[in-house]
Amino acid sequence: MRRRRRSGRAHFALRLLLVSLSVAGAVASSAPAQTSKILEQGESAPAQRVDGDESIATAVRSFSEAARAEAERMADGSPELGAAAAGELASAATDRFRKTLTELVRELQGDGALTLDEVTKAFADARESALASLEEALDARAKGAEPPPAPEESDDSISYVSRLFEYTLVVRNPLHRWLLLLLSIVGGIVAAGSVVGLLRLLSGPLADRVRFPVRRVVDALRGPLYFGAATVGVAVGLTFVWVPVPAADFLWTIVRLLFSCAGFWLGWNLCDLLASGLGWVALRTRGTADDDAVDLVRKSLRLFLLVVLALFVTEVVLDMDVRSLLAGLGIVALGVSLAAQDSLKNLFGSFTIYGDRPFKRGDLVVFKGYFGTIEEIGFRSTQLRTLDGHRVTIPNADIVRETVENVSDRPFVRRRFRLDLVYETPPEKVKEALEIVRAVLDDRDDLSPAHGDRVAFEEFGEHSLRIVVEVHHGTDDFWEAKRRDGELNLALLERFGAAGIEFAYPTEKLYVEARTRAAAAGEASEAPGGRPEPAPAPAPDPDPDRDDGAGRSEED
């Protein structure tokens, strides 16, 4: 039926073109070769003015012939319809078509010009819609129902939609048709559940044979299967239900969109499975799986899937020309690329990170003063978790330009520390301290033997006798090295304490020298200017007759 409508539409356009060109005789006579080429090859006509009344008359005559032919065909195939009733419906459809064309011409003439191109397109669309409405009316009469309400019979669009909804729900679709629609949806869901249950039943033995998480495959298929089966049920159920022409195209567009969503959901989950499968193959062949490479494959596949979905929905579901749309977006894409230079730099920076591999997920790095673990490497930025628990987002372009120190990518963890002994430690105890350190290091089997351990009496410090120790932990794990440092410190503390060797800490000793009273008095007798001060006068003797012990007495 759709093919017949398209051929009728092309035939109608060609006839309207011929009549319009004949009306515009002056123009047509000046270009007979061009007119002949248009009629023979079906090329589009140039922008020419046409007469509205003559175009309406030509289009109505063509539609009347097509309507009578359709009415006769339906009447011959359905004895209940009858030729008279079919003819009345065809005449009513022709009258409505004439009114529609009159309104269209009035609208098209609003800009002061009525060209052949716009008349051909507008009249052809109106003809196709009118023929579809006539077919619905004839089909309704053939099945003993009233024809669907026409837009002209309602006061406004809201009342027309309300009448059409009531007609669809009650008049044309009895209860058993809605039950068939519901059973189709439920049947699709039940069928999907049976398939999922069977796959779950077979996944256990299969997983034991191939040692691959087959249950993940089943879980990835479960959601899209249920959704797709329900969509199939809707598509099958709609064949049992009468749907008006204005809503039929919209409903089938929704169905195609639902199918697209189910396929996109399935593809999205399969991207994750494919990336995980590549990691599983790498683990089986090389003994290790690169999480960053798996993540890159997953993100690239999903990005490609999004582009394919957008093109598919535009071309198939929305019935739009993708090539002309992409051509129109060329200039827009240029402007967007200029405005999104930073984003493009970050995108290419992510490719550089994946290719150069300065770090991987889980590595401990130092970047611009940030010290933490790499959590995620994205297309735009890299996420770093500091030791304080803060999450830092770093643009990939900055990582490519700056220096990154990968702490985890080292064959060992070197520790260099000093032990300070008090200056009162005798030489024998210093030798014993050196032997204790060497013995503690020899007792540990988690140190790197390739570099050896270095212990020496380094120097006489400001306040201690200093012993230097250098060890290399045979691990690249930062926190594992810290744990071993703690064990080593505790062992040294216990052994030094048992040997009676004391650790030094910053101390100062103050030596005070005792001075004689005479020297103190002599210093005090000097004046500030450097000259001696006069001695103070002696105090009066309270007993002048007392003997002074010298065996002498004063006489006048």
Side-chain angles (χ1 to χ4, degrees), residues 446-469:
D446 53 3
L447 301 179
S448 176
H451 300 84
D453 303 315
R454 300 175 177 87
V455 182
F457 179 18
E458 184 180 25
E459 62 179 350
F460 296 93
E462 295 181 358
H463 53 77
S464 63
L465 304 176
R466 181 162 295 174
I467 297 176
V468 62
V469 183

Side-chain angles (χ1 to χ4, degrees), residues 55-381:
S55 300
I56 292 176
T58 303
V60 170
R61 285 195 299 269
S62 176
F63 178 81
S64 178
E65 295 175 1
R68 286 197 302 269
E70 183 67 19
E72 292 175 0
R73 186 185 66 81
M74 292 290 294
D76 294 339
S78 176
E80 298 179 357
L81 177 60
E88 293 178 0
L89 292 175
S91 299
T94 303
D95 295 338
R96 288 194 298 269
F97 182 65
R98 181 183 290 106
K99 293 179 181 179
T100 302
L101 294 187
T102 303
E103 295 177 358
L104 283 175
V105 169
R106 188 180 299 112
E107 293 177 359
L108 294 175
Q109 287 179 340
D111 56 358
L114 189 64
T115 62
L116 181 61
D117 289 339
E118 58 184 4
V119 168
T120 303
K121 184 179 184 305
F123 281 17
D125 293 339
R127 173 192 171 92
E128 184 175 357
S129 177
L131 285 176
S133 300
L134 175 61
E135 291 178 3
E136 288 186 346
L138 293 173
D139 182 69
R141 284 292 180 86
K143 296 180 180 179
E146 292 293 330
E152 297 81 4
E153 300 174 357
S154 303
D155 298 333
D156 51 15
S157 59
I158 297 178
S159 60
Y160 169 68
V161 172
S162 177
R163 292 182 58 191
L164 186 60
F165 179 77
E166 181 180 0
Y167 178 82
T168 304
L169 188 63
V170 179
V171 178
R172 292 302 303 272
N173 294 309
L175 181 60
H176 70 277
R177 293 193 176 186
W178 297 112
L179 291 177
L180 288 175
L181 174 61
L182 181 61
L183 289 177
S184 300
I185 298 175
V186 173
I189 296 176
V190 171
S194 302
V195 174
V196 171
L198 181 62
L199 292 177
R200 281 183 173 273
L201 184 62
L202 298 176
S203 63
L206 185 60
D208 296 336
R209 292 182 179 181
V210 299
R211 294 184 179 181
F212 183 78
V214 186
R215 182 62 61 87
R216 290 186 56 188
V217 180
V218 178
D219 293 338
L221 297 177
R222 181 177 57 183
L225 277 178
Y226 278 117
F227 190 81
T231 306
V232 171
V234 171
V236 173
L238 286 178
T239 59
F240 301 108
V241 178
W242 180 87
V243 180
V245 172
D249 294 338
F250 175 75
L251 287 178
W252 286 109
T253 301
I254 294 298
V255 171
R256 291 194 297 268
L257 183 61
L258 292 177
F259 274 120
S260 303
C261 292
F264 173 74
W265 190 359
L266 177 62
W268 188 270
N269 293 344
L270 289 181
C271 290
D272 190 10
L273 287 177
L274 181 59
S276 301
L278 293 177
W280 177 77
V281 172
L283 185 62
R284 294 290 300 271
T285 55
R286 298 184 302 175
T288 179
D290 193 342
D291 295 335
D292 292 333
V294 171
D295 190 56
L296 175 63
V297 172
R298 180 188 298 109
K299 291 180 178 179
S300 301
L301 289 176
R302 287 181 173 178
L303 181 61
F304 175 76
L305 183 63
L306 285 174
V307 175
V308 172
L309 175 67
L311 296 177
F312 179 80
V313 171
T314 304
E315 178 74 22
V316 179
V317 179
L318 302 181
D319 197 17
M320 298 176 62
D321 190 2
V322 176
R323 290 172 295 180
S324 60
L325 183 62
L326 293 178
L329 291 177
I331 300 177
V332 178
L334 178 61
V336 171
S337 63
L338 293 176
Q341 290 184 3
D342 293 338
S343 298
L344 293 177
K345 290 179 181 179
N346 292 327
L347 178 61
F348 287 109
S350 67
F351 296 151
T352 304
I353 292 174
Y354 282 116
D356 193 32
R357 304 302 304 279
F359 50 77
K360 61 181 182 296
R361 187 187 306 176
D363 283 355
L364 196 64
V365 301
V366 179
F367 180 78
K368 285 187 175 181
Y370 295 110
F371 183 41
T373 305
I374 299 296
E375 285 192 343
E376 183 180 356
I377 305 173
F379 284 122
R380 194 199 71 84
S381 62

Side-chain angles (χ1 to χ4, degrees), residues 539-554:
D541 192 352
D543 189 4
D545 297 331
R546 178 180 58 85
D547 187 10
D548 57 0
R552 299 193 305 267
S553 64
E554 291 188 10

